[in-house]
Amino acid sequence: MDQGRTEASSSHTGIRIGLSAVIIALRDREAAVLTTHAPDGAPALPFGPFDPARDRTFELALRAFVADQTGFPLGFVEQLYTFGDLGRAAPRATPGPDRAREISVGYLALTADAPDGPGFSASGRDAAWTPIFQIFPWEDQRRGRPPVLARLIPALTAWAGDDAARRGRVEALFALAPDARWNEERVLDRYELLYEAGLVEESARDNGRPPPAALGDRPMTSDHRRILATGVARLRSKLKYRPVLFDLTPETFTLSALQAAAESVAGLSLHKQNFRRGVERTGLVQPTGVFTSDTGGRPAELFRHIRPEPGGGVAFGLSLPGQR
């Protein structure tokens, strides 16, 4: 393609690059995401524009505006995905020639340090830790099928009707067959199916329809819930091949707390003995010889994460044994 034509087209339509951060922590043994509020009052991920004339790199710009918006200094971050669908920043119409096309680069960050929301407020900042299962209640399978599915499945079935392709997607994504296994990694696919079926508020907002019946979930501004779904899916996948769970835990922990952390991220209940055997096989933890009675029962030993030596090979993740 002619370069001059490409540049003219880009300048005509206008492109604005934004950076969004999915920052996940554990609070009270629940996975939570750091949220702010958009101008419309809806929950939002920390988000800011990239200024090519001022900002040297995407990551430095991301760190600066997250600290400014939330007072939270980012640790390790990794790039998640680039979101650039037409209309993604506007509730209804696709941006026209005189409106900037919104391109958002998403980042995933994990932290073991989750200060309380009031601490942010005291600094004059609008930020809070929002439990992820308040945003995606259908993803919490720790206690069996969540009650929200009793309302979602009939609505999805009605939407699918006699369309075999739609029915197949509903059955596969929500594990409706008797022998079907719930795939915890397909967070984004499930959210996008609910969006397509018009069962989440963002779908009604973007298409100018009345809001659907309340499901007890929490919609987010723009397409931030889609970005968050992408981040949660990435994290659930990484649990199995990288020791990312330890980026969410304090320096020392009980094995029960480690299992609760894994369950809160995966949305699954795990077999206790199988989980512990799996942890021991990885060689990723070491007993400290210190016991705590904070668990409320018999004293439990504290463990620490053993980080591999530089150049010592790949550190594997934790397997997720079958549900208990």
Side-chain angles (χ1 to χ4, degrees):
M1 183 180 290
D2 180 77
Q3 183 177 357
R5 182 178 177 183
T6 302
E7 291 176 353
S9 175
S10 296
S11 63
H12 181 60
T13 58
I15 292 177
R16 188 179 82 149
I17 298 176
L19 307 171
S20 54
V22 176
I23 306 168
I24 295 177
L26 294 175
R27 287 181 54 77
D28 300 324
R29 295 194 172 195
E30 293 291 332
V33 62
L34 188 59
T35 59
T36 62
H37 285 91
D40 60 5
L45 299 171
F47 177 89
F50 173 76
D51 184 347
R54 180 195 64 199
D55 298 322
R56 187 163 63 88
T57 69
F58 284 176
E59 186 175 322
L60 288 175
L62 179 85
R63 291 179 182 279
F65 79 71
V66 168
D68 180 64
Q69 290 179 17
T70 69
F72 186 80
L74 285 178
F76 172 78
V77 298
E78 67 174 69
Q79 193 170 121
L80 183 62
Y81 195 76
T82 299
F83 303 84
D85 294 356
L86 283 170
R88 62 167 297 278
R92 295 190 181 183
T94 296
D98 57 341
R99 298 173 63 187
R101 172 93 175 263
E102 186 77 42
I103 305 295
S104 178
V105 182
Y107 283 81
L108 175 65
L110 309 178
T111 180
D113 180 22
D116 290 335
F120 296 124
S121 301
S123 301
R125 297 181 176 96
D126 172 28
W129 293 100
T130 302
I132 288 173
F133 293 140
Q134 288 185 10
I135 300 171
F136 303 113
W138 49 85
E139 293 294 334
D140 187 1
Q141 302 277 322
R142 292 173 296 177
R143 301 168 186 85
R145 303 282 281 183
V148 67
L149 290 184
R151 299 171 59 190
L152 275 181
I153 298 306
L156 283 169
T157 302
W159 167 78
D162 296 327
D163 189 312
R166 285 185 173 184
R167 292 184 70 90
R169 289 169 63 199
V170 173
E171 291 173 1
L173 291 175
F174 287 90
L176 299 186
D179 58 346
R181 175 189 174 276
W182 177 268
N183 187 337
E184 73 279 1
E185 294 180 27
R186 302 192 69 177
V187 187
L188 178 62
D189 294 332
R190 280 186 285 272
Y191 172 72
E192 290 191 332
L193 179 66
L194 294 173
Y195 183 100
E196 184 180 341
L199 297 176
V200 291
E201 190 171 313
E202 292 93 331
S203 177
R205 176 202 67 196
D206 294 349
N207 293 283
R209 296 194 300 262
L215 296 171
D217 56 332
R218 297 188 65 176
M220 301 181 75
T221 195
S222 186
D223 63 347
H224 285 205
R225 190 149 53 152
R226 181 186 175 203
I227 297 174
L228 176 58
T230 305
V232 174
R234 170 77 64 85
L235 178 57
R236 286 180 169 183
S237 174
K238 286 173 73 71
L239 280 180
K240 300 171 185 177
Y241 63 89
R242 287 290 184 271
V244 292
L245 189 62
F246 299 105
D247 292 326
L248 297 168
T249 56
E251 184 176 350
T252 60
F253 46 82
T254 65
L255 292 183
S256 292
L258 187 66
Q259 179 174 338
E263 292 177 335
S264 71
V265 171
L268 300 174
S269 61
L270 305 175
H271 189 279
K272 180 178 178 179
Q273 295 304 322
N274 288 348
F275 177 82
R276 295 192 174 203
R277 282 194 290 266
V279 170
E280 291 170 357
R281 282 196 299 268
T282 65
L284 293 172
V285 300
Q286 180 182 68
T288 65
V290 177
F291 288 77
T292 177
S293 57
D294 291 345
T295 57
R298 56 188 293 184
E301 188 168 14
L302 293 171
F303 288 74
R304 66 166 59 91
H305 173 217
I306 304 174
R307 299 188 181 276
E309 295 293 331
V314 177
F316 295 99
L318 299 172
S319 62
L320 298 182
Q323 291 183 261
R324 59 191 177 205

